Amino acid sequence: RRSRRPSRMNLKVESLTLSNLAENKTATLRKPSSTRPALYRIEEGDARAVVKDFSVNGRVFRNLIGRFLIWREKKAYRRLKGLKGVPALYGVVGGLALVLEEIQGRSIEGIDRKERLPVQFFEALRDLVERVHRRGLCHCDLKRAANVLVGDDGRPYLIDWSAAILEREFRFFPARLIYKRFLVDDRHAVIKLQLRHCPEAVDPEDLRRYQNRSLAERAVRKLRDRARGLLQKVA
């Protein structure tokens, strides 16, 4: 089936301000909390986009944490520019809001209770994750199924890059060991999701590595979990 994804927007991000972002809001996707930004849809003419907006958070949080996270996520999207399966970044408004391509599709979170996704979806997802890794980036939060979408075209899409890390940031020992562990976790997340839908198609060797972890791996995982926990609290 052909995708209903919109063509590239004619919305000019350069003309947007934090105040008129709210004026163009047509739907709230997630209300803000004390440590999480608002998510909403904006429209201007036939152009639609999703906005991640920290400007609605408290003054201290938005200026110290929000600006930093927007800057980091912008770097991730720029590294992934043009990669099919990742939303396009249309721009940043006021240093506090990301304007992103809206993907026509649905989260796979809980979808296994109603239907099973085909093995071809997970083959495409695995390929997408590897293409991300080849660009020197790790998502780090794929175990959260809400960050994986099945598009109206049947293909996988990865969203929410707020916890992503760049390989060059972990290039020195022992940080590079943690980065390698995050790469493994991205791959294991695909296996975990596939086990819910078509477990019979999981490669036996991949399953063995997923189920059996050495003591060294467990030690690195503890360091990884601490780092991920900090990122997820504000993502």
Side-chain angles (χ1 to χ4, degrees):
R1 184 170 54 170
R2 293 180 64 86
S3 169
R4 298 200 307 271
R5 294 174 67 197
S7 59
R8 292 302 182 193
M9 294 173 59
N10 55 22
L11 189 154
K12 296 180 179 179
V13 177
E14 296 80 6
S15 66
L16 293 174
T17 64
L18 292 173
S19 59
N20 64 25
L21 275 176
E23 295 172 2
N24 291 327
K25 181 169 66 173
T26 59
T28 298
L29 306 178
R30 185 182 74 194
K31 293 182 179 180
S33 69
S34 59
T35 60
R36 301 188 78 186
L39 291 178
Y40 52 86
R41 179 184 298 119
I42 63 170
E43 295 186 21
E44 186 178 280
D46 60 353
R48 296 173 58 173
V50 172
V51 178
K52 176 182 282 190
D53 189 358
F54 281 94
S55 72
V56 295
N57 294 95
R59 182 188 300 270
V60 174
F61 181 83
R62 70 173 180 255
N63 285 307
L64 291 181
I65 306 299
R67 287 184 184 278
F68 174 72
L69 292 176
I70 290 291
W71 172 72
R72 284 192 58 81
E73 194 163 3
K74 178 181 70 174
K75 287 202 305 180
Y77 278 112
R78 286 183 172 175
R79 178 62 66 94
L80 298 168
K81 183 178 180 179
L83 184 62
K84 179 153 178 77
V86 176
L89 170 65
Y90 294 130
V92 175
V93 179
L96 288 169
L98 287 170
V99 183
L100 302 163
E101 175 187 14
E102 181 181 44
I103 301 298
Q104 299 298 310
R106 53 196 170 128
S107 164
I108 70 169
E109 185 173 30
I111 200 175
D112 54 297
R113 293 191 289 268
K114 300 177 181 179
E115 62 181 282
R116 293 289 186 267
L117 293 172
V119 64
Q120 291 83 1
F121 175 86
F122 295 98
E123 291 172 348
L125 178 58
R126 187 177 297 106
D127 178 67
L128 174 56
V129 168
E130 292 304 321
R131 285 185 287 132
V132 168
H133 290 175
R134 286 197 292 271
R135 293 205 180 190
L137 200 72
C138 188
H139 188 284
C140 298
D141 202 15
L142 293 182
K143 289 185 178 179
R144 188 182 295 179
N147 290 336
V148 182
L149 307 182
V150 53
D152 286 352
D153 57 3
R155 297 188 60 81
Y157 293 85
L158 303 180
I159 62 171
D160 194 352
W161 294 84
S162 54
I165 57 175
L166 296 174
E167 182 178 12
R168 66 187 183 194
E169 297 171 333
F170 286 73
R171 61 185 179 275
F172 299 115
F173 182 86
R176 64 173 177 265
L177 297 179
I178 299 175
Y179 181 78
K180 288 181 179 179
R181 183 65 229 180
F182 274 119
L183 293 177
V184 172
D185 283 348
D186 274 2
R187 299 181 183 112
H188 281 177
V190 177
I191 297 173
K192 181 179 180 180
L193 293 172
Q194 186 174 352
L195 286 171
R196 299 176 184 172
H197 292 266
C198 44
E200 69 285 351
V202 175
D203 182 272
E205 185 60 24
D206 288 341
L207 183 60
R208 184 192 65 77
R209 285 194 293 264
Y210 174 75
Q211 293 176 333
N212 300 301
R213 298 172 175 107
S214 68
L215 290 176
E217 284 182 311
R218 293 173 189 171
V220 174
R221 285 181 68 202
K222 288 183 179 179
L223 294 174
R224 172 218 63 190
D225 289 342
R226 291 177 183 175
R228 173 184 287 149
L230 291 174
L231 291 169
Q232 288 179 339
K233 286 180 180 179
V234 293

